[in-house]
């Protein structure tokens, strides 16, 4: 066979497919607020329920030290010194100082009382109210947000990792990929497969993307090193290209015992992810916002095994060059017995979905009514927290 | 009717083997339903139930020990590590079973001369999608399919519905075990109430379908009627009159129930739902879309629906109606193979024997089967939602999943001691259904190994 596939022809076909995929029934002309544009949003799902009270320690709260006998030593005071960053996160202090980092210390999804990781993460990613407990969701809020944007192609949104990311799952096109997926294909076999996929409309886009990404030189080379660094470097590469919205998950936050030791690697991974992303995005960091959220917080009191158990109110973290950062957002409920949720957990003062909603509004011009109806059903966005500069 | 060689095996079965007959028509497929299958190598649900009981008692003991340590005078040195160890041991046993289930399942797919029955099992297992979430009965999906679905795929739908929808795995997945009739003995005493999940999915997914014309009130009534259906870790499925809502319950104009409430009232309602015209339309449409095309010929669907209605929901009659209709034999392959079907078809085409799969150790099973299937989008033992996998042809075809298929095809071809000549393999694998492009490409491959991998990864071999 001497038929050299005409690469440009495939690309034309691929582009055409991308457009038709974007024309989903969810896209009405009215809903098209504005193009995805140049702004980049990264949503990090912190799986396992991050202990916000440990990551961002309210050392100025007079009840804190008593609640946390083994978990209150050290930390880097921020701003007025009411909060201190966990020692392992001290590498983030420069971002705080330059206004590229902010925290929401007491927030949560609408999920209450059951405290199951599975349901909690499901709800966090689905973005729905807690009205159908236990019903596995079928799509995620980031995907529903995509359905409101025009000119979305499969590369506009990117989910990192092999596991299903419910948050980006749904009718709008998106790409899921794991750095390090390499195809050991000879050049001739690659050409032949490209030719075969390109002929078949059902396989063209996915097949050619698979071959492209799986055999790209250098793309999957740095698959060594700390997980967060590998992910962030790879992600930055996508976001310097066509990708505007991305999601990844970090885990290891479920610290029921010996938290002082066991939380460290997970926090270091988070820190590395953020710092690598910032370094690798270069000038585009100014157009990037990172939102890290977790399924729920942990108990205010340390437990009998120097750890913490599943709680309610937790912390969300925002970072990015466009962020109006260097501040604590959303207030502090206090740790007095009477101020705790259920007498045990940090009281959430806000619905964490509101911050995601305002980020989507400020970055992509999505309308409040669409955000509160389609993306986050049942959410009251409240007043703007003025997230961005 | 002369169908292309390979069409019957590819569209309705598990793909060609080197020893496959040239023609597999409606009669051969039909007889596949009656073929005696060798005993399954799939773990039993009773084992999963027992392990769940063990896990619960370990956790109980652990909480007790924790509470004891909270009292300073009782604090002892015994570590929580013991409990963690015990839990790990039980979980590991489940993991080992799960790997062995996967091998057993694939071996059976290789051994099946045709595999139509297996494809039906896959269809119904997806229709009655349920897995171990939220955290009960680890690795129990294979046994659920084996015991609640497989025996009933060629009988009456009412029997299948009862077996699958009321199975403890489904109950757990859709929270039926938490549903209590508010006016039942337990409900009045504790104030507990209904959980509508199973009732809703029973109407929306298992029977009538979302277009089936039922209301929220029907869902609530169905949930009331289902109370009493539950399970416990000693005996598994059971009917518990203490949580069953007493009184008459009206669903679609018919009254069920009474005092006392009984299990047979639930069965009566399920039997009626099974023969409801909405259920017939929902099921035959889904079957035709699964096997034939995303947008099947309306006459084919009507023919199947008539068979469903006239036989009172006898699935065998529905399959016969599908197989005998000419529209089911259009030569264009409009669907795509699910990952497990594609893996099985690849093993069949390359002549890998069932024994080779059964000989794999746990590490190999994990590396060569379990992890790849997950990367292809069909993790063993899990379903994406109560609606199951999306059945459109393009749903499996994402970049990551295609890359995983290419990667796995390369790995398989690499491991063949004597890879076949790609020019012959293209016909062995696809009969008359290889496209001229693929036949040309097979001639152009650089090595036999690459040629075989390319054929397995090509669109033609991924279609069904």
């Amino acid at each position: 066979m001497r038929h050299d596939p005409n690469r440009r022809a495939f690309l034309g076909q691929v582009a055409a497919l991308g457009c038709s995929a974007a024309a989903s029934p969810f896209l009405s002309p009215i809903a098209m607020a504005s193009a995805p544009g140049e702004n980049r949003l990264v949503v990090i799902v912190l799986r396992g329920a991050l202990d916000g009270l440990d990551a961002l320690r309210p050392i100025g709260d007079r009840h804190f030290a008593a609640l946390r006998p083994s978990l209150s030593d050290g930390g880097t005071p921020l701003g007025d010194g009411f909060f201190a960053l966990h020692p392992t996160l001290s590498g983030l202090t420069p971002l705080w100082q330059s206004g590229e980092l902010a925290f929401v210390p007491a927030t949560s999804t609408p999920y209450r009382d059951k405290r199951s990781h599975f349901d909690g993460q499901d709800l966090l990613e689905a973005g729905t109210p807690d009205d159908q407990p236990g019903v596995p969701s079928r799509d995620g809020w980031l995907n529903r947000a995509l359905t409101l944007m025009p000119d979305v192609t499969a590369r506009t949104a990117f989910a990192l990792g092999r596991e299903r990311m419910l948050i980006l799952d749904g009718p709008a096109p998106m790409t899921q990929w794991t750095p390090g997926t390499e195809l050991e294909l000879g050049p001739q076999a690659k050409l032949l497969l490209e030719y075969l996929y390109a002929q078949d409309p059902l396989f063209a886009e996915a097949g050619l993307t698979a071959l492209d990404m799986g055999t790209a030189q250098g793309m999957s080379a740095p698959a060594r090193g700390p997980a967060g660094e590998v992910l962030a470097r790879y992600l930055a590469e996508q976001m310097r290209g066509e990708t505007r919205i991305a999601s990844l998950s970090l885990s290891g936050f479920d610290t029921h015992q010996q938290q002082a030791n066991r939380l460290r690697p997970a926090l270091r991974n988070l820190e590395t992810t953020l710092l690598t992303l910032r370094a690798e995005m270069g000038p585009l960091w100014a157009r990037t916002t990172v939102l890290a959220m977790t399924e729920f917080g942990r108990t205010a009191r340390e437990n009998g095994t120097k750890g913490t158990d599943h709680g309610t109110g937790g912390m969300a973290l925002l970072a990015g060059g466009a962020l109006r950062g260097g501040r604590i957002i959303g207030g502090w409920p206090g740790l007095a017995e009477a101020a705790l949720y259920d007498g045990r957990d940090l009281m959430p003062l806000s619905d964490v979905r509101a911050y995601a909603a305002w980020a989507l509004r400020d970055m992509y011009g999505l309308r409040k009514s669409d955000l509160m109806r389609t993306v986050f059903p049942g959410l009251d966005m409240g007043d703007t927290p003025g997230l961005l500069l | 009717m002369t169908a292309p060689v390979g069409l019957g095996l590819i569209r309705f079965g598990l793909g060609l083997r080197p020893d496959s007959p040239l023609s597999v028509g409606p009669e051969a497929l039909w007889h596949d339903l009656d073929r005696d299958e060798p005993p399954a190598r799939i773990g039993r649900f009773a084992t999963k139930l027992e392990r769940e009981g063990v896990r619960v008692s370990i956790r109980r003991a652990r909480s007790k020990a924790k509470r004891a340590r909270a009292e300073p005078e009782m604090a002892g040195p015994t570590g929580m590590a013991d409990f963690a160890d015990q839990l790990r041991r039980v979980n590991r046993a489940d993991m080992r079973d799960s790997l062995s289930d996967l091998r057993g399942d694939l071996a059976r797919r290789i051994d099946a001369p045709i595999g139509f029955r297996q494809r039906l099992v896959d269809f119904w297992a997806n229709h009655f999608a349920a897995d171990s979430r939220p955290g009960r009965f680890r690795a129990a999906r294979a046994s659920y399919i084996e015991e609640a679905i497989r025996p009933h795929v060629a009988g009456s739908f009412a029997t299948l519905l009862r077996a699958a929808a009321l199975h403890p795995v489904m109950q757990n997945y859709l929270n039926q075990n938490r549903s209590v009739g508010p006016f039942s003995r337990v409900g009045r005493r504790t104030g507990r109430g209904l959980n509508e999940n199973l009732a809703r999915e029973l109407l929306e997914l298992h029977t009538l379908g979302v277009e089936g014309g039922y209301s929220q009130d029907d869902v609530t009534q169905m949930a009331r009627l289902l109370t009493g259906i539950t399970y416990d870790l000693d005996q598994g499925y059971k009917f518990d009159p203490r949580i069953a809502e007493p009184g008459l319950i009206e669903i679609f104009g018919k009254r069920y129930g009474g005092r006392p409430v009984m299990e047979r009232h639930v069965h009566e309602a399920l039997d009626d739902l099974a023969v409801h015209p909405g259920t017939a339309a929902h099921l035959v449409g889904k079957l035709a879309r699964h096997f034939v095309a995303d947008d099947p010929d309306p006459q084919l669907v009507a023919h199947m629906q008539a068979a469903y209605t006239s036989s009172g929901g006898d699935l065998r009659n529905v399959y016969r109606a599908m197989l005998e209709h000419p529209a089911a034999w259009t030569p264009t392959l409009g669907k795509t193979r699910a990952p497990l079907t594609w893996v099985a078809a690849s093993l069949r085409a390359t002549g890998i024997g069932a024994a080779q799969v059964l000989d794999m150790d746990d590490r190999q099973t994990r590396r060569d089967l379990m992890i790849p299937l997950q990367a292809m989008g069909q993790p063993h033992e899990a379903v994406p939602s109560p609606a199951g996998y999306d059945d459109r042809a393009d749903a499996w075809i994402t970049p990551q999943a295609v890359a995983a298929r290419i990667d796995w095809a390369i790995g398989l071809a690499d491991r063949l001691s004597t890879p076949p000549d790609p020019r012959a393999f293209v016909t062995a694998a696809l009969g008359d259904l290889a496209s001229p492009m693929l036949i040309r490409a097979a001639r152009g491959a650089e090595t036999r190994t690459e040629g075989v991998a390319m054929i397995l990864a090509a669109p033609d071999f991924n279609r069904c």
Side-chain angles (χ1 to χ4, degrees), chain B residues 200 203 208 212-222 252:
Chain B
R200 179 180 312 281
L203 298 179
L208 299 172
Y214 58 89
S215 65
Q216 172 56 42
D217 189 51
D218 296 323
V219 172
T220 308
Q221 296 313 317
M222 193 71 215
F252 301 119

Side-chain angles (χ1 to χ4, degrees), chain B residues 262-277:
Chain B
M262 282 184 277
E263 188 177 18
R264 76 175 160 79
H265 299 134
V266 176
H267 292 170
E268 278 166 22
L270 292 190
D271 290 351
D272 288 340
L273 268 175
V275 294
H276 192 287

Side-chain angles (χ1 to χ4, degrees), chain A residues 118 163 177 188 195 197 200, chain B residues 133 374 400 440 444 457 463:
Chain A
F118 168 69
E163 308 264 322
W177 197 261
Q188 169 75 348
Y195 162 73
Y197 288 141
D200 190 324
Chain B
R133 284 178 291 177
Q374 183 175 356
Q400 182 92 56
R440 272 208 305 279
R463 286 178 176 271

